[in-house]
Amino acid sequence: MSHSAAGSFAKTVLRPTTTSKQWIDALRFCTSDTFTSELPGDTEVSKSPYQMQTDSEGKVDVPQAKFRTSRTVRGALWSWAVPMEQEGPRLISVSGSGAALVGLTKETFLSDAKAAAEIWSGNARLPGSNPWAQCYGGHQFGIWADQLGDGRAISLGEVDGCDQQQQHSSRWEIQLKGAGRTPYSRFGDGYAVRRSSIREYLAAEHLHALGIPTSRSLALVFTERLVEREETEFGAVVTRLAPSWIRFGSFELPASRNDYKLVQTLADYTIRRHYPEIGANLSNDSIAADACGEDKYAMLLRKITRQTALMIARWQAYGFCHGVMNTDNMSVLGLTIDYGPFAFLDAYEPGFICNHSDTSGRYAFDEQPRVALWNLMRLANPLAVLINGGGAATKESVEGGKREELKPETVKAITDILNQFGVQYRQEYVQIMRRKLGLFATEESEDLLDVVQPFLDLLEHAKTDYTFAMRALCDAPFIVYGSPPNSSEKQLEVLVDSLAERSLTFSCAADSSGWKAQAIEYFQKKYLPRLSREMGADGGHALASEIAARMKAVNPKYVLRNWVAQDIIEQAEKGDERAVDNALDLLTKFAFEDRLPDYLASAEKYAGPVPKWGEGLQCSCSS
């Protein structure tokens, strides 16, 4: 027997509970994690290993293969997990706002950074934590991939915290990404490298600061573990937060196995724990329907469709490209999750592909709304058995594991819901773009066609920097009012010149002359008259200043472009690990600010032109 084969039958070494006085009482997991207590788990290991008797070496009498070796898991939505030991963990950064969500402070981490690094690398366990990994499937690049699951993410537990934005208590599921193998790792090693971990850690907090629904980041830990990717790299672990990590693929996998009873169990849990408003006015009877005759499962699909539409609208408005919109990467809460080869647009190129593994362009920037709808159709498929003509699924259809031809009423209900995606997406997108263009108080039916789209067409033709262009528009209110007097024509020329200078198409002034003429005509005939109608005839410099300030609050000066992320990664790799913390501050506290504090002065370059080496930079799914 080989050493590796023998090792797989060895007892499992558990991670010891922390002895840090600072941490023992700092974070209290819920007595019962709802995901593992209310949903069926893998029967290969009957209870949490941390509730089993250990020997003198901290081992439990369960072969480690049960936690580390990939296998098919049926009739379950999760398996118990044990993080792998990490070498030389070092705390690199903590998100203060992320920590506040679970009742912690940044100072909690920094006061005993060594203990924090052990805990948030997975080396040490917090009292009450009983880790698990989720089981789900998914369509990857449009092809069914069967069982996938959390191959390198391990949930530590649920914590009652506070959503400061909504000012209400909420439950957060804390998860380590890069903590080692699980039963769902397939051919992977369960680890993550520093470059991808820095990107996800910063991106989640940055998107939240931009107002885009997202998972959150808590902490980033570097390790000395060597991880094999395209080349050998050092490892890292990101601690991330979400109210839930349930994905579209969580429903798809049991449905692919005709386990509709498990689909219904998961749907009921999702409604009960994450969309309680659905059941607020309905009885506990599964046949209950609302006043419109829509049952709770149709209402669930409607809610998820709307949340997804709102998320995608924000992606498009802020120039965010996810890069790998597989159904296993789609949250049922409408959150941006699983940051891989994402990017923010540099030049406005609707067909931009940020993932160099995406050779067909399936997940190109302008394809994201269509793919989101396609993914929702995949989610509707397992829910269809439950949506039974406006009533509930029959007991026979669910427990019998059979899917008969859908009733016309069911098809109509699902079609009506999915048809709303485009309407909801467009409404939200137009509203956001109106605000970005300074149109806060008035709405005109042709704003998208007459004002928004022509401007985007100009940017596309010139391949102008999208984030810079939207920020530059914040000067437009002063052009409308000629502030200072008699300066409108000159100010407009300056604005258009700046847009041309941030173009990737024009190599010299002569190249851009025709485009500049078109841009000036657009401003004079379309945008500025529309902005003038918004501002009214009685305004002046004070009103122009107010509107400009409101525009700057929705048009960031700094975004996490790929070249910016790469620059931060390289600084950290060269030993300046403070660069990660500084970048977090820049992208969360100062993303919309004109002036930076002295300690961030060098970051001003991130609002400047894209360097040649960074133009159109792509990443892969590998991390």
Side-chain angles (χ1 to χ4, degrees), residues 595-606:
R595 295 183 179 180
L596 298 178
D598 290 344
Y599 77 97
L600 292 178
S602 64
E604 180 71 31
K605 64 182 179 182
Y606 296 145

Side-chain angles (χ1 to χ4, degrees), residues 195 198-199 202-203 206 342-346 465 467 502 557-572 579-580 582-584 586-587 602-611 613-619:
R195 56 183 167 84
I198 291 172
R199 283 169 55 86
L202 294 175
H206 181 45
F342 71 87
F344 280 87
L345 294 179
D346 289 324
D465 187 315
T467 298
R502 296 294 284 267
K557 182 175 180 179
Y558 302 95
V559 293
L560 186 58
R561 307 165 186 268
N562 269 351
W563 76 268
V564 172
Q566 185 59 33
D567 189 64
I568 295 163
I569 290 167
E570 290 179 3
Q571 290 181 56
V580 178
N582 288 346
L584 181 66
L586 174 73
L587 296 167
S602 64
E604 180 71 31
K605 64 182 179 182
Y606 296 145
V610 181
W613 63 264
E615 292 178 3
L617 196 63
Q618 293 178 310
C619 294

